[in-house]
Amino acid sequence: MNSAGHSEATARRGLELTPFRGLRYDPDRVGSLAAVTSPPYDVVVRPDGVHHLHSADPHNIVRLILPQATTPTARNDQAADTLRRWLDEGVLTADPEPGLYVYEQRDGDGMIQRGLIGALRVSEPSEGVVLPHEDVMPHVVADRAALMRATSANLEPLLLTYHGDGSAAEVVEHAAERPPLLDTTTEDGFSHRLWSVTDPDEVACVQRDLAHHQALIADGHHRWATYRRLRAEHPSPSPWDYGLVLLVDTARYPLRVRAIHRLLHGLPVADALSALDGLFRVRRLDVPLPQALGALADAVREGNAFLLAGDGTFHLVDRPDPALLARTVPAEHPAAWRSLDATVLHATLLDHVWRIPEDSPAHIAYIHDTAATVAKAERDGGTAVLLHPVREEVVRDLARQGVTMPRKSTSFGPKPASGLVLRALDL
């Protein structure tokens, strides 16, 4: 088959979402459903967030997604033992029949998001079915893979988006008219509801519609890379051919796009700024965080800009030296990639100016919450680097070109809460 024919066949194949028997908490065995949920593993701010979730309920899902022990092997064994114990005790129980799950999130401002949770056939980027837009860190993929091997489970869904507004969306809306399987509100003010779709006709309707679509990874690049690694380790067909996802139709429910910030350990703000002398324009902003972020938003309209914090004030860093960018930013990528703030941050600032390894947890942390990033930098004597979010259309356009952005470039949301439905691979 020629390349054009292969592309057409791949496009026809599209997304394959299959029902599964979800593992869910028995509400009679836990304090509350809200108390056993958690943000996704990479959003929990350690160590405070882990400790808070541990104390929320003895069965909080954080004990599975972020087990606490002295070695990686001990952590994974602990998670596997905990999962087996909760299954034996009936804390977690499997739904009686396979289904897809409609998941709804609402906030206090009227935002509503609905999507489908199911087991998605794992595919390679070359197939053009699931589009990644960020690079991944190998040590994180290895960590997640070891945890999934030990537990033989997908413990939390990653977030994918597609643009459809077809019959799958109608099934979602119809399901949301029925009484939900669960309804809870978490401490962040979000309400969460879940329905099952088990009717064969409705499932088939969803599958026929999705077969014509491709999806963008909105959140969960490392888990998708983990799914791909584990599928390669197991002869097909096997349960590892599929991975747990939440699929949101952004034609109905557009996602929010936020930035992911950097916390540079061991680099005081004064040292970070002195290294920028003559390379960037630097302006001190003695204003509150919201106004500083407003100044950052204004600056990025004219070019690359960053906000540094950690010494009790903010420093707006913009107007990089064009000669510096020419020397440090790889020229073989498209112009849209070369002009990304995350590209300049990693290729120019981290690699060339500050010489900080981007994949070393001892040197850098990636934090979603802006205020938390600033607070931790001030407390630890490091430097917070705050970024402005990338527009969704830029992300999607680069993904369709097969161009990946620097790791941790975007944060799509709202993200699904972990702990509402799990997938065991041996069911």
Side-chain angles (χ1 to χ4, degrees):
M1 181 182 291
N2 61 31
S3 60
H6 181 269
S7 297
E8 290 172 3
T10 299
R12 283 197 299 272
R13 187 174 193 177
L15 299 165
E16 296 180 21
L17 195 68
T18 66
F20 69 103
R21 290 180 64 198
L23 289 182
R24 297 190 294 113
Y25 282 98
D26 181 343
D28 294 329
R29 302 297 301 271
V30 298
S32 73
L33 290 176
V36 295
T37 65
S38 165
Y41 80 98
D42 58 337
V43 181
V44 177
V45 179
R46 300 192 193 203
D48 303 342
V50 175
H51 294 158
H52 172 71
L53 292 167
H54 264 272
S55 62
D57 188 282
H59 301 107
N60 189 281
I61 191 69
V62 77
R63 286 174 166 78
L64 300 183
I65 64 174
L66 286 174
Q68 301 295 291
T70 54
T71 67
T73 299
R75 288 195 293 270
N76 296 328
D77 289 345
Q78 182 184 92
D81 291 343
T82 300
L83 178 58
R84 282 192 293 267
R85 185 174 73 254
W86 288 357
L87 288 169
D88 291 342
E89 295 173 351
V91 173
L92 287 169
T93 60
D95 283 332
E97 57 182 322
L100 303 175
Y101 295 84
V102 171
Y103 174 47
E104 176 192 276
Q105 293 165 279
R106 292 177 183 261
D107 68 8
D109 298 326
M111 187 285 306
I112 179 173
Q113 176 177 288
R114 290 181 183 142
L116 282 162
I117 294 178
L120 185 71
R121 184 185 69 85
V122 178
S123 59
E124 295 300 312
S126 59
E127 297 179 59
V129 177
V130 175
L131 305 176
H133 68 267
E134 289 183 358
D135 292 331
V136 297
M137 292 176 272
H139 76 276
V140 177
V141 176
D143 174 75
R144 291 294 101 184
L147 178 62
M148 288 189 202
R149 287 191 204 99
T151 58
S152 191
N154 299 151
L155 300 172
E156 48 185 347
L158 54 87
L159 177 61
L160 305 182
T161 72
Y162 77 106
H163 200 79
D165 202 17
S167 54
E170 295 303 321
V171 171
V172 168
E173 300 308 309
H174 178 67
E177 296 172 356
R178 302 193 293 261
L181 295 174
L182 63 85
D183 186 347
T184 190
T185 300
T186 46
E187 64 179 9
D188 58 5
F190 273 88
S191 67
H192 308 264
R193 296 199 294 172
L194 194 73
W195 297 263
S196 62
V197 177
T198 57
D199 179 84
D201 291 337
E202 288 189 321
V203 171
C205 180
V206 168
Q207 292 175 326
R208 283 194 301 270
D209 186 7
L210 294 181
H212 301 286
H213 293 286
Q214 61 181 186
L216 176 73
I217 301 177
D219 185 70
H221 282 81
H222 289 90
R223 282 167 286 167
W224 184 254
T226 300
Y227 290 167
R228 289 171 47 215
R229 174 181 291 192
L230 294 173
R231 183 190 67 165
E233 293 176 0
H234 296 82
S236 185
S238 83
W240 298 97
D241 291 342
Y242 298 84
L244 187 63
V245 306
L246 166 63
L247 192 58
V248 174
D249 182 353
T250 54
R252 293 284 183 105
Y253 300 105
L255 270 66
R256 301 169 177 171
V257 187
R258 294 190 171 97
I260 302 176
H261 309 296
R262 276 65 170 160
L263 174 60
L264 309 181
H265 304 299
L267 179 66
V269 175
D271 293 348
L273 293 173
S274 66
L276 301 179
D277 188 34
L279 302 176
F280 286 76
R281 182 176 70 169
V282 179
R283 288 176 287 167
R284 180 185 175 107
L285 304 177
D286 291 312
V287 297
L289 176 59
Q291 290 177 242
L293 292 173
L296 175 63
D298 291 338
V300 296
R301 295 191 182 100
E302 300 179 9
N304 301 116
F306 311 93
L307 203 60
L308 271 55
D311 60 352
T313 189
F314 298 99
H315 306 270
L316 184 62
V317 175
D318 64 356
R319 297 189 183 179
D321 175 16
L324 172 68
L325 298 185
R327 291 197 312 271
T328 58
V329 176
E332 64 271 16
H333 291 282
W337 182 90
R338 297 197 306 270
S339 64
L340 291 170
D341 289 333
T343 296
V344 173
L345 172 60
H346 284 259
T348 303
L349 288 172
L350 293 180
D351 291 352
H352 181 80
V353 177
W354 293 326
R355 301 191 181 279
I356 293 176
E358 61 185 62
D359 58 354
S360 170
H363 294 88
I364 186 170
Y366 298 84
I367 304 178
H368 294 71
D369 184 85
T370 308
T373 310
V374 174
K376 290 178 78 65
E378 291 179 346
R379 184 181 66 196
D380 301 341
T383 295
V385 183
L386 308 182
L387 288 84
H388 189 70
V390 182
R391 290 179 291 114
E392 182 178 358
E393 55 266 32
V394 173
V395 176
R396 196 174 294 274
D397 287 346
L398 286 171
R400 285 176 175 154
Q401 296 176 53
V403 178
T404 55
M405 300 168 64
R407 57 197 63 173
K408 298 293 185 182
S409 294
T410 58
S411 176
F412 284 85
K415 304 179 189 304
S418 299
L420 296 179
V421 60
L422 293 64
R423 174 179 176 249
L425 277 78
D426 52 3
L427 287 179

